[in-house]
Amino acid sequence: MALFSPPISSSSLQNPNFIPKFSFSLLSTNRFSFLSVTRASSDSGSTSPTAATAVEAPEPVEVIVKEPPQSTPAVKKEAISTTDNVAVEGEEMKTTETVIKFQDARWINGTWDLKQFEKDGKTDWDSVIVAEAKRRKWLEENPETTSNDEPLLFDTSIIPWWAWIKRYHLPEAELLNGRAAMIGFFMAYFVDSLTGVGLVDQMGNFFCKTLLFVSVAGVLFIRKNEDVDKLKNLFDETTLYDKQWQAAWKNDDDESLGASKK
Amino acid sequence: MATTVTLKSFTGLRQSSTEQTNFVSHVPSSLSLPQRRSSLRVTASRATPKLSNRKLRVAVIGGGPAGGAAAETLAQGGIETILIERKMDNCKPCGGAIPLCMVGEFNLPLDIIDRRVTKMKMISPSNIAVDIGRTLKEHEYIGMVRREVLDAYLRERAEKSGATVINGLFLKMDHPENWDSPYTLHYTEYDGKTGATGTKKTMEVDAVIGADGANSRVAKSIDAGDYDYAIAFQERIRIPDEKMTYYEDLAEMYVGDDVSPDFYGWVFPKCDHVAVGTGTVTHKGDIKKFQLATRNRAKDKILGGKIIRVEAHPIPEHPRPRRLSKRVALVGDAAGYVTKCSGEGIYFAAKSGRMCAEAIVEGSQNGKKMIDEGDLRKYLEKWDKTYLPTYRVLDVLQKVFYRSNPAREAFVEMCADEYVQKMTFDSYLYKRVAPGSPLEDIKLAVNTIGSLVRANALRREIEKLNV
């Protein structure tokens, strides 16, 4: 008997007529139970969900789209892969191994539909930026094939410059200005206590001005501990290629210096 | 007077050192100026003696574009030329792209070119695709050639000009004792009759041009030093005809960390198939992984294709520390003349072969006189003066735009700009840095910085999501 039972269960999964009903019944249930049921079924008989599964059946895609946009792509991936494993097992593996593509309600025809990002009648650029970042992160982890039928038309320059400044430049500028102010205040106090030279007189002194320049440059360029090494490496990097080209001339210059001594 | 003996190893550095003993009086004045090499180009060629009853003999090791071009120029200049090539039908793994100026400069017949690529597609890590080529004029294109066809054509032309082409493998060379003794080359000659092993032979020549590629034996024998190199891995895939029409005149470039950490993946159309490949310098062990990723990115477009050939080869990243030594000079890949960023080498190989041969022809006055290191140095000077800016610019581009995914995204965004496309194609097709308009240059600079800032800001956002 043990010999018979496994084939029956797997053959039932593989029976193409059986599958649509199976998947429909899954889809009609509540989303959460949907996930738990598919997880259970995936454990029971089907092969482990791999990245390369078909997204051909239109039904799973519809369900995903109805999900609210806040769900992370990771959840979508799991949902798609588990349903499709169940749905597709009956079909033979074609030469086309279709992969999961990036899906989002607001990503239409290869670009972000800005109308869906509106808040109080104006486009919420912050959420556009976050959505694009999520898309890029998804693609870094799951590189997709490019296709001529679905060209990607999104260009980050449609996001206005002030949105970038507000989101990235201003917080960092605040941080750096704060650091510079703290350093400036304490250095001014320190120098005053040591030498008795007040703030106004300090500004007239060349040495103090140099110190000021060095501390401003330091605050600007060294923002993290790693930046010190990075700057050193950067300098080496910029000059390396030139050095490699000049090597042909350098060798002989050394020799010639040796010759002239003789 | 003692200087004439001790100066043997410094021939060519100070022209006066090669003069006969009568002219030793010139030596001290030129030796006192070690730095400025350019100011000393005065009397060397006049001083070398005439060859009494024979022409100058030069051997060109390697019969690729560099060797073929060098041998042709030498033979046309009246020099006795011997070209040694180890595999006459060598089907080299190569992108096979030549710029338009090469067709004109080397008088290539148009039937050598299998395809004319007039469109390129650059695809960013997030699959943003940009079409390049709108600014190309009717007659402009990138020529795709089969290396075996091009190499054989250049060798044939050299032979017709009077060079002797030998099918043989260069083994090593004996350095001369005096400044005018010949080099003795040891090589194995395959004459087709004695089978695969060939017969060992030697040959005496006055000068050698090393055009034997990235693993040059000539370079080893003159202690030229090593270079960093990239591994380029390529699969030739025959795809169905309807998919081939897409690649009729279009080549693709894929950038991304998945495809290569410091280079790009490509799909180049060849005569009846496409070549899909990628390359890397720093992560050579993962090259297969990168190749799979490249195939994955192009998957839809090469679906149903059959891999007909898998090949790999090294690409030099920068020149060797020493590109010449006495009367031996390196050209082409052996010298390391491959540009960064695009990895272009065929044109520079052929051009350097020609330039070196021209320097030899001029220095020997069409084969009548012996040459010395100074004449070969002229070739190095001319080469560096003409092409170092090009190499530098491409190095900067590679450093700035290939370092990370955000940089690559910015790169692809920049390539969408028409001005960028025009400048890029002008400099690639004609190998000249055309002066653009300053206003456009400023706009370009602003746009570049903007793209880089946006892409890096998005990367910071991605890192925030990771946390």
Side-chain angles (χ1 to χ4, degrees):
Chain A
M1 297 305 116
L3 286 170
F4 287 121
S5 35
I8 294 171
S9 55
S10 53
S11 66
S12 69
L13 286 173
Q14 280 161 14
N15 186 342
N17 298 331
F18 200 77
I19 290 161
K21 280 189 259 169
F22 192 42
S23 53
F24 271 121
S25 63
L26 282 174
L27 297 166
S28 55
T29 56
N30 191 329
R31 182 160 52 88
F32 293 109
S33 56
F34 162 76
L35 286 174
S36 52
V37 165
T38 52
R39 279 210 197 92
S41 65
S42 72
D43 291 339
S44 60
S46 53
T47 51
S48 58
T50 56
T53 51
V55 191
E56 284 150 345
E59 299 85 27
V61 175
E62 267 173 43
V63 174
I64 305 305
V65 171
K66 282 191 215 119
E67 286 178 318
Q70 289 97 310
S71 55
T72 63
V75 171
K76 282 184 218 148
K77 171 186 176 180
E78 207 170 48
I80 297 171
S81 58
T82 45
T83 41
D84 288 331
N85 244 335
V86 173
V88 171
E89 223 165 344
E91 303 171 37
E92 45 187 352
M93 277 310 275
K94 305 185 194 147
T95 50
T96 74
E97 256 191 50
T98 49
V99 294
I100 307 162
K101 287 198 184 288
F102 174 74
Q103 307 267 7
D104 192 304
R106 302 164 295 180
W107 179 259
I108 296 177
N109 284 338
T111 185
W112 292 106
D113 183 11
L114 293 175
K115 286 199 282 295
Q116 298 194 37
F117 287 95
E118 287 200 9
K119 203 167 77 163
D120 305 330
K122 281 195 292 199
T123 358
D124 179 14
W125 295 111
D126 273 351
S127 47
V128 177
I129 293 177
V130 172
E132 175 66 11
K134 282 200 190 137
R135 185 184 75 89
R136 291 197 180 180
K137 177 165 172 252
W138 167 266
L139 282 174
E140 267 185 31
E141 291 160 7
N142 314 286
E144 263 180 37
T145 167
T146 58
S147 162
N148 294 327
D149 312 314
E150 304 155 15
L152 227 112
L153 304 165
F154 182 65
D155 184 1
T156 52
S157 52
I158 60 165
I159 302 174
W161 59 275
W162 52 263
W164 297 99
I165 289 185
K166 210 176 82 169
R167 194 177 170 85
Y168 296 105
H169 178 76
L170 293 183
E172 183 124 8
E174 190 181 340
L175 194 72
L176 295 181
N177 277 315
R179 284 185 194 162
M182 284 189 269
I183 291 176
F185 177 75
F186 280 107
M187 286 308 292
Y189 183 85
F190 195 54
V191 172
D192 194 349
S193 67
L194 280 182
T195 60
V197 179
L199 185 60
V200 177
D201 294 323
Q202 272 179 44
M203 284 298 102
N205 184 317
F206 176 73
F207 179 65
C208 291
K209 280 195 231 174
T210 318
L211 266 185
L212 177 69
F213 180 75
V214 167
S215 38
V216 167
V219 165
L220 271 179
F221 290 119
I222 305 179
R223 302 184 190 186
K224 295 206 271 268
N225 283 340
E226 300 88 38
D227 283 349
V228 184
D229 284 324
K230 233 181 14 172
L231 287 173
K232 262 196 286 187
N233 286 337
L234 206 64
F235 177 71
D236 284 334
E237 219 186 88
T238 41
T239 50
L240 179 66
Y241 195 56
D242 242 4
K243 277 199 222 131
Q244 285 165 343
W245 272 87
Q246 306 299 352
W249 306 104
K250 245 194 225 337
N251 272 340
D252 286 66
D253 276 359
D254 290 337
E255 279 179 49
S256 70
L257 287 171
S260 59
K261 290 201 186 92
K262 289 183 193 162
Chain B
M1 304 308 126
T3 48
T4 48
V5 174
T6 52
L7 281 171
K8 160 178 71 83
S9 52
F10 303 111
T11 52
L13 286 173
R14 306 286 162 258
Q15 296 67 13
S16 41
S17 58
T18 62
E19 289 171 9
Q20 306 295 345
T21 46
N22 319 355
F23 305 107
V24 160
S25 51
H26 288 293
V27 172
S29 51
S30 48
L31 277 178
S32 59
L33 302 162
Q35 311 92 295
R36 289 285 120 234
R37 54 186 185 273
S38 45
S39 62
L40 301 171
R41 297 284 139 240
V42 182
T43 55
S45 44
R46 313 286 168 283
T48 48
K50 270 184 159 353
L51 296 162
S52 40
N53 51 3
R54 61 180 179 86
K55 291 196 284 191
L56 186 75
R57 279 165 315 179
V58 177
V60 180
I61 316 287
E72 183 191 354
T73 309
L74 284 174
Q76 278 172 354
I79 293 182
E80 188 185 331
T81 317
I82 306 109
L83 174 67
I84 303 183
E85 163 62 42
R86 71 172 170 95
K87 193 161 187 278
M88 294 305 206
D89 56 352
N90 202 357
C91 178
K92 292 202 184 147
C94 178
I98 60 171
L100 190 62
C101 56
M102 184 164 178
V103 179
E105 282 179 34
F106 289 88
N107 290 321
L108 297 179
L110 292 175
D111 56 359
I112 269 194
I113 297 173
D114 291 332
R115 262 176 212 280
R116 298 173 189 206
V117 166
T118 51
K119 299 200 287 273
M120 273 196 66
K121 219 181 197 102
M122 302 232 357
I123 295 151
S124 81
S126 64
N127 282 340
I128 296 179
V130 159
D131 283 310
I132 304 182
R134 298 191 300 269
T135 54
L136 282 179
K137 298 194 201 61
E138 281 291 315
H139 63 277
E140 292 177 339
Y141 57 88
I142 302 173
M144 305 298 292
V145 301
R146 264 169 295 168
R147 282 295 301 277
E148 57 270 25
V149 173
L150 174 73
D151 295 357
Y153 173 74
L154 288 174
R155 277 196 301 265
E156 254 175 53
R157 257 207 342 218
E159 204 164 12
K160 277 198 215 115
S161 305
T164 317
V165 178
I166 297 181
N167 183 2
L169 173 65
F170 169 79
L171 299 168
K172 63 183 173 80
M173 74 167 112
D174 298 331
H175 292 263
E177 303 94 36
N178 307 320
W179 66 272
D180 59 349
S181 323
Y183 284 87
T184 310
L185 305 177
H186 299 259
Y187 66 101
T188 313
E189 181 161 344
Y190 308 124
D191 55 2
K193 289 185 277 243
T194 52
T197 40
T199 45
K200 273 206 156 69
K201 287 200 173 158
T202 60
M203 186 196 307
E204 288 196 344
V205 292
D206 301 309
V208 180
I209 295 186
D212 45 346
N215 298 317
S216 168
R217 278 191 197 192
V218 176
K220 243 195 288 273
S221 62
I222 63 167
D223 282 327
D226 270 326
Y227 45 39
D228 301 316
Y229 63 95
I231 282 281
F233 188 90
Q234 181 170 265
E235 286 166 342
R236 300 201 190 202
I237 301 183
R238 187 161 281 134
I239 56 179
D241 285 332
E242 64 272 12
K243 293 212 190 279
M244 199 64 205
T245 54
Y246 170 69
Y247 287 113
E248 183 70 36
D249 55 358
L250 180 135
E252 285 181 331
M253 257 178 71
Y254 293 89
V255 285
D257 268 336
D258 54 330
V259 162
S260 167
D262 50 11
F263 206 59
Y264 60 89
W266 63 81
V267 178
F268 288 160
K270 302 253 183 204
C271 45
D272 59 353
H273 55 275
V274 291
V276 179
T278 179
T280 173
V281 182
T282 47
H283 290 74
K284 296 196 183 70
D286 294 330
I287 189 74
K288 294 267 175 74
K289 199 174 70 152
F290 298 141
Q291 175 68 11
L292 278 173
T294 313
R295 263 198 280 148
N296 182 40
R297 292 258 234 129
K299 187 190 296 206
D300 268 2
K301 289 169 270 192
I302 56 173
L303 210 47
K306 260 196 286 286
I307 298 179
I308 55 178
R309 206 183 141 98
V310 177
E311 49 200 16
H313 68 116
I315 304 182
E317 286 287 295
H318 62 85
R320 291 187 195 261
R322 288 178 69 175
R323 285 175 271 156
L324 62 82
S325 160
K326 303 215 197 80
R327 284 170 276 138
V328 180
L330 298 175
V331 294
D333 271 13
Y337 289 146
V338 178
T339 63
K340 289 214 166 171
C341 189
S342 59
E344 187 195 345
I346 305 182
Y347 173 75
F348 291 104
K351 195 75 189 189
S352 63
R354 176 177 278 193
M355 235 184 231
C356 183
E358 279 169 358
I360 293 182
V361 166
E362 192 186 313
S364 70
Q365 290 180 359
N366 289 68
K368 297 206 233 1
K369 287 157 45 70
M370 178 59 100
I371 59 161
D372 63 6
E373 191 170 319
D375 303 307
L376 291 176
R377 281 203 165 261
K378 285 207 187 102
Y379 133 69
L380 270 195
E381 266 176 24
K382 190 165 168 220
W383 180 261
D384 281 7
K385 198 167 75 152
T386 323
Y387 291 115
L388 195 50
T390 310
Y391 282 96
R392 278 212 193 103
V393 165
L394 285 167
D395 175 55
V396 168
L397 282 180
Q398 167 150 331
K399 284 207 181 80
V400 171
F401 287 117
Y402 281 8
R403 52 180 340 123
S404 59
N405 268 352
R408 296 183 191 113
E409 296 277 354
F411 185 45
V412 174
E413 259 184 45
M414 291 315 305
C415 286
D417 182 47
E418 283 223 3
Y419 182 66
V420 170
Q421 290 185 26
K422 191 168 86 71
M423 300 298 286
T424 311
F425 272 118
D426 256 355
S427 56
Y428 174 77
L429 291 177
Y430 303 110
K431 293 290 172 280
R432 62 156 184 252
V433 186
S437 77
L439 189 63
E440 296 277 342
D441 279 338
I442 295 175
K443 244 176 48 176
L444 174 62
V446 168
N447 281 338
T448 311
I449 296 174
S451 288
L452 282 170
V453 164
R454 284 197 297 265
N456 275 302
L458 275 170
R459 201 244 297 257
R460 277 194 274 167
E461 197 65 46
I462 293 175
E463 280 165 15
K464 268 199 267 181
L465 288 173
N466 276 334
V467 164

